[in-house]
Amino acid sequence: MKPAMETAAEENTEQSQERKVNSRAEMEICRNHWMYLGSKNHQYSPLPTEGKRLNPLSHPGCFECCIKCLGGVPYASLVATILCFSGVALFCGCGHMALAGTVAILEQHFSTSTSDHTLFSEVIQLMQYVIYGIASFFFLYGIILLAEGFYTTSTVKELHVEFKTSACGRCISAMFVFLTYVLGVAWLGVFGFSTMPVFMFYNIWSTCEVINSLQTNGTAAVEQICVDIRQYGIIPWNAFPGKICGSTLENICNTSEFYMSYLLYIVACAGAGATVIALIHFLMILSSNWAYLKDASKMQAYQDIKAKEEQELQDIQSRLKEQLNSYT
């Protein structure tokens, strides 16, 4: 009996030792597993030394994010928007002030009767209201075109893979192309119209320069040099005086109102030219974006057809495997 009891005790001790070993192995495996997860979720970097300091942009994730954000900006649309805003602001602001100065010069020197320039004053007031409308419209239109440039940039589509084009989006892009073309043609007319007051003021200024040169040379035929503002169609032919000659004309040219109006008309004309360039730039951008959307829609249709064919091929292969399995 004694040897049997000893063998049973030995077996019990061996089993208990095996259990301890197994439990220790399981605990070691769990500890290594949690240490691996902790090291995966929390990756600590060594502290920077005195010669190597921590740079916020040195982290690759932040740097790549900044590069992607900067790459998603439509720089062409941004430049065109800034140019359009600058041109419209110069044209509207300087044109409004120049028109007010023109009315003041006309009332003080070329037309003493109010009835002679009533129509011209009403037209000037109407043009000033039109300038307010132009400024408001192009402010909104420029923002819309800039937003359209953001949403049709190829880099933005690479960031947002799920972005898909639609027929409505392509129609909106085509509408913007047509509207920008019409506005560009209209601004060409505005630019041509803005050169007319520049030409008129230049003629008056050049006449004053001739008078100054004759006075310096001692010529007495200064009073015979005149400027008739009625020939430009601003006031009727029966307006009085309508024509200014000699030293009186020179005094008009020396006034601050004349000089400031002349410069403002030049700046307004330059602003109209800048707006035309901006609209041409927008037209090129919108045309390229519309072509890109059209190609993207074709590529999208091709990918849908390809995915459908691959799905059908997988279904056929799965059916064949099922039939082979049923035969075997």
Side-chain angles (χ1 to χ4, degrees), residues 157-175:
K157 290 177 181 163
E158 290 176 1
L159 291 175
H160 304 282
V161 183
E162 297 180 355
F163 181 84
K164 294 184 179 180
T165 59
S166 61
C168 181
R170 295 193 298 273
C171 291
I172 291 174
S173 297
M175 182 191 69

Side-chain angles (χ1 to χ4, degrees), residues 146-164:
L146 183 60
E148 200 269 345
F150 269 102
Y151 283 107
T152 53
T153 306
S154 59
T155 52
V156 173
K157 290 177 181 163
E158 290 176 1
L159 291 175
H160 304 282
V161 183
E162 297 180 355
F163 181 84
K164 294 184 179 180

Side-chain angles (χ1 to χ4, degrees), residues 88-105 120 124-125 127-129 131-132 197 201 256-268:
V88 173
L90 289 175
F91 175 79
C92 294
C94 297
H96 184 275
M97 295 178 64
L99 289 173
T102 303
V103 172
I105 293 172
F120 180 75
I124 292 297
Q125 187 176 5
M127 291 177 66
Q128 289 177 343
Y129 286 119
I131 284 173
Y132 298 148
F201 273 79
S256 60
E257 292 178 353
F258 177 84
Y259 185 73
M260 185 59 66
S261 299
Y262 183 34
L263 292 180
L264 289 174
Y265 275 124
I266 293 174
V267 176

Side-chain angles (χ1 to χ4, degrees), residues 78 80 95 112 192 202 327:
L78 185 62
T112 57
Y202 174 76
Y327 290 151

